[in-house]
Amino acid sequence: MGTSIAFKRPDGKDANGYLANAARGNAPGVIVIQEWWGLSDQIKGMCDRFAVAGFDALAPDLYKGKVVPYHDTDAAGAEMNSLDFIEATTQTVRGAVQYLSKNGAKVGLTGFCLGGAVTIIGAAKIPELTAGVVFYGIPPEAAAKPAEIKIPLQAHFANKDDWCTPELINAFEQGMKAAGKSLELFRYDAEHAFVNEQRMSVHDRKAAELAWGRATDFFKKHLG
């Protein structure tokens, strides 16, 4: 449904991504950030779903063409750990936001796992954003403190998650509340990456559909 595109980062360098356009013109935009596997077919499929829901959706390729097979967690971890999260967010992701906002459209940011952490960093560091939806990812507080968040956030977390643990989620929620920030937070009795329908070992269709409906409603409310 979508197509591969190139766009400019704020520093003038080229970046690549996958773009799926809504049927209507002047649609609001959603930037979709990959899991630690890379810009997989599953993430491209999420862009397609957002396009059907009425948004222009762009997934920037943070790994520059590298996609890790689902079974190779060591390689995925190595790719994620070698990523400069701040540079990726303030340059590649911000460039994608600017690309979709150039016709005056409001733009939101969402991401999964690694992309959830990037979404929170972007909520603090990308001025062109209007709203964000986080899926099971939280960055270290040094990367983005709750007090620095500038946009309304919605967040979806799994109760059975040893990366974004319930303790980490509770601390993030309390930090956002203490800072007086807008946060809708939902917990699901599911496992990490429950939205990824290509990973049947963790996918939870009921939880995924509930989260999808909440996310699209949130974006429609804030982006138009």
Side-chain angles (χ1 to χ4, degrees):
M1 179 173 173
T3 185
S4 296
I5 65 156
F7 58 91
K8 289 289 185 187
R9 305 180 350 153
D11 62 7
K13 293 179 182 176
D14 287 319
N16 297 296
Y18 177 86
L19 174 68
N21 286 118
R24 68 186 176 104
N26 297 326
V30 174
I31 304 301
V32 182
I33 306 300
Q34 66 195 49
E35 298 173 302
W36 68 344
W37 312 108
L39 182 47
S40 64
D41 288 342
Q42 196 271 336
I43 294 297
K44 293 176 180 177
M46 295 302 294
C47 290
D48 294 342
R49 284 190 74 181
F50 274 115
V52 171
F55 303 92
D56 290 338
L58 172 57
D61 184 358
L62 302 189
Y63 285 179
K64 299 175 181 172
K66 174 95 175 183
V67 179
V68 179
Y70 283 131
H71 62 83
D72 198 345
T73 54
D74 288 345
E79 287 293 331
M80 182 175 75
N81 291 330
S82 67
L83 182 71
D84 183 334
F85 275 68
I86 302 299
E87 195 256 3
T89 304
T90 58
Q91 292 295 333
T92 304
V93 179
R94 189 181 180 194
V97 174
Q98 291 173 338
Y99 181 88
L100 287 191
S101 66
K102 64 177 185 268
N103 64 352
K106 291 181 178 178
V107 179
L109 177 62
T110 191
F112 304 82
C113 172
L114 175 160
V118 167
T119 298
I120 294 173
I121 299 170
K125 300 188 183 297
I126 300 177
E128 296 88 352
L129 285 172
T130 298
V133 177
V134 178
F135 286 89
Y136 33 80
I138 298 176
E141 196 164 289
K145 297 177 178 65
E148 298 169 342
I149 302 295
K150 298 181 177 68
I151 56 174
L153 286 181
Q154 185 184 79
H156 305 272
F157 292 105
N159 291 330
K160 294 175 276 190
D161 191 332
D162 56 9
W163 189 53
C164 277
T165 62
E167 295 76 21
L168 197 62
I169 297 160
N170 290 340
F172 174 67
E173 183 178 34
Q174 288 161 9
M176 289 287 285
K177 197 174 290 182
K181 300 300 179 177
S182 173
L183 175 68
E184 289 181 12
L185 192 143
F186 299 100
R187 294 173 174 83
Y188 302 83
D189 194 23
E191 294 184 53
H192 183 82
F194 66 85
V195 174
N196 189 336
E197 70 279 358
Q198 291 188 349
R199 296 183 62 212
M200 295 311 297
S201 60
V202 294
H203 179 57
D204 185 315
R205 176 175 286 280
K206 187 176 178 183
E209 290 305 315
L210 182 57
W212 172 257
R214 287 167 168 168
T216 51
D217 286 348
F218 183 80
F219 278 141
K220 285 172 184 172
K221 173 186 171 184
H222 288 284
L223 305 180

